[in-house]
Amino acid sequence: MRNAMIAAGALAALAMPAIAQAPVRSERVQFAKGAASKVIKASLKGYDIVDYLVGARAGQTMNVTFKTSNASSYFNLMAPGAGETAMFVGSTAGNSFSGRLPANGDYRIRVYLMRNAARRNEVANYTLTVGISAGAATAAQAMPAGTGAPITPGNMPAYCRGEASSQYGTRPTYVKTGAIAKAPGGGFTIDGTVDKGSEGTKRFRCRYDAKSRFVDVMALTPDGE
């Protein structure tokens, strides 16, 4: 019994972020004049941790999309004055966030490698897209380009359910999707929910570009809700 508990603890440690292992480097995100978003391309290695500071006001909407070469790298989002408590945790909620902000001040987008990857001194090359708008949570104004072959409208909901079930680690039968909608910046979106059992129901949005190519699954429910 004791050996089993030790083994379980070791597995849990491997899945933890490498937050406490190294000092955090901070960078201020500055939007160009007249722009409401910025694309950041960078890399980190091992126990490197980067906080991107984004100044915003309560009621504004923040959109964050994270694309990485390493499946063990993620981002967390911390609100002003929240310390190390994250309002969004990428390792459980996915690589996209869209939501209305609760307070004025600097928000921290923390990019890191999970501890198992950090111990192996792995590298993550990533693209972080950050946008701030005044409206409610919607798809980003400029839809990113998708990958792969175009998906016909009739197959978009099923494809969305498959991608969402993979991202949330559950069966497609626990995923529900709504109607296809046109995105303000071009392309298409499908909103849906996934039943995570004891974790509750999570809301998400599948995005397709103007050529009907799949872009990503954007989490709409901040972690903890």
Side-chain angles (χ1 to χ4, degrees), residues 77-156:
L77 176 64
M78 282 83 85
E84 299 301 301
T85 302
M87 60 183 285
F88 176 90
V89 178
S91 61
T92 58
N95 284 335
S96 296
F97 167 82
S98 179
R100 297 193 70 178
L101 301 178
N104 298 336
D106 283 340
Y107 287 79
R108 288 181 292 151
I109 303 171
R110 174 166 293 179
V111 178
Y112 59 90
L113 279 162
M114 299 298 283
R115 186 170 296 171
N116 58 327
R119 285 175 175 171
R120 293 193 293 266
N121 209 32
E122 293 183 8
V123 174
N125 301 307
Y126 60 88
T127 300
L128 184 71
T129 304
V130 184
I132 298 289
S133 61
T138 61
Q141 290 300 307
M143 181 71 72
T147 57
I151 310 297
T152 63
N155 289 328
M156 281 183 178

Side-chain angles (χ1 to χ4, degrees), residues 12-23:
L14 288 175
M16 293 176 63
I19 299 301
Q21 301 296 320

Side-chain angles (χ1 to χ4, degrees), residues 8-212:
L11 289 173
L14 288 175
M16 293 176 63
I19 299 301
Q21 301 296 320
V24 180
R25 177 169 57 88
S26 297
E27 292 186 15
R28 170 72 59 180
V29 176
Q30 299 281 5
F31 298 145
K33 185 176 181 180
S37 65
K38 183 171 184 177
V39 177
I40 301 164
K41 294 186 177 182
S43 64
L44 52 79
K45 182 177 182 180
Y47 290 106
D48 291 346
I49 302 166
V50 184
D51 273 4
Y52 292 98
L53 306 180
V54 184
R57 300 188 304 274
Q60 288 186 308
T61 296
M62 177 180 288
N63 296 290
V64 183
T65 301
F66 183 65
K67 294 185 177 181
T68 175
S69 65
N70 192 313
S72 292
S73 62
Y74 297 95
F75 77 90
N76 292 354
L77 176 64
M78 282 83 85
E84 299 301 301
T85 302
M87 60 183 285
F88 176 90
V89 178
S91 61
T92 58
N95 284 335
S96 296
F97 167 82
S98 179
R100 297 193 70 178
L101 301 178
N104 298 336
D106 283 340
Y107 287 79
R108 288 181 292 151
I109 303 171
R110 174 166 293 179
V111 178
Y112 59 90
L113 279 162
M114 299 298 283
R115 186 170 296 171
N116 58 327
R119 285 175 175 171
R120 293 193 293 266
N121 209 32
E122 293 183 8
V123 174
N125 301 307
Y126 60 88
T127 300
L128 184 71
T129 304
V130 184
I132 298 289
S133 61
T138 61
Q141 290 300 307
M143 181 71 72
T147 57
I151 310 297
T152 63
N155 289 328
M156 281 183 178
Y159 193 93
C160 175
R161 289 191 292 271
E163 292 294 323
S165 67
S166 176
Q167 177 163 308
Y168 285 95
T170 188
R171 296 178 180 177
T173 53
Y174 294 112
V175 180
K176 295 181 179 180
T177 51
I180 300 173
K182 289 187 176 181
F188 308 92
T189 62
I190 299 176
D191 286 2
T193 59
V194 55
D195 183 354
K196 289 286 288 179
S198 60
E199 297 179 32
T201 299
K202 307 293 184 180
R203 297 183 299 111
F204 65 86
R205 172 172 294 147
C206 288
R207 301 195 295 173
Y208 298 85
D209 66 14
K211 295 182 180 180
S212 300

